[in-house]
Amino acid sequence: MKPTGNTMQAPIFAPASKLSFAAIQAAPKQLLTTLGKGLSKGLTKIQINRMQSVLNSMTDAQLAQVGIDRSQVKSHAEYLITYKYDGL
């Protein structure tokens, strides 16, 4: 057998295994966080669409009483659900 000049006889896996164990332990939390955020965004979009549908079903006179016109229905529905308003 030829000498290689390497004093290490076997690879050391301990430092790498600590990192992989930490990654394995963190993966479920990251997955659940990602799923939770996705579900939250999806639910918000459903609520906005339902509110927009209700506002679209109103007559122009009813919309005028609320203080919006038909072109502002989408932004007003988003405001009513998220309370973020870009203005009219």
Side-chain angles (χ1 to χ4, degrees):
M1 186 181 235
K2 278 196 322 188
T4 61
N6 189 355
T7 58
M8 190 182 311
Q9 298 298 323
I12 299 174
F13 295 109
S17 66
K18 285 184 181 178
L19 293 176
S20 64
F21 287 137
I24 290 170
Q25 289 174 340
K29 183 178 179 182
Q30 291 173 344
L31 177 64
L32 290 175
T33 300
T34 303
L35 287 174
K37 287 179 181 178
L39 288 173
S40 177
K41 286 181 182 179
L43 180 60
T44 301
K45 287 186 181 224
I46 289 171
Q47 290 174 328
I48 290 170
N49 288 338
R50 286 182 179 177
M51 181 60 70
Q52 191 173 351
S53 175
V54 168
L55 290 173
N56 278 328
S57 69
M58 295 171 73
T59 65
D60 289 336
Q62 290 171 326
L63 289 174
Q65 285 180 342
V66 176
I68 61 172
D69 59 14
R70 195 139 316 263
S71 65
Q72 299 167 326
V73 166
K74 181 177 170 97
S75 62
H76 194 68
E78 289 173 359
Y79 168 71
L80 290 173
I81 300 300
T82 63
Y83 301 107
K84 297 177 186 171
Y85 210 48
D86 290 337
L88 295 174

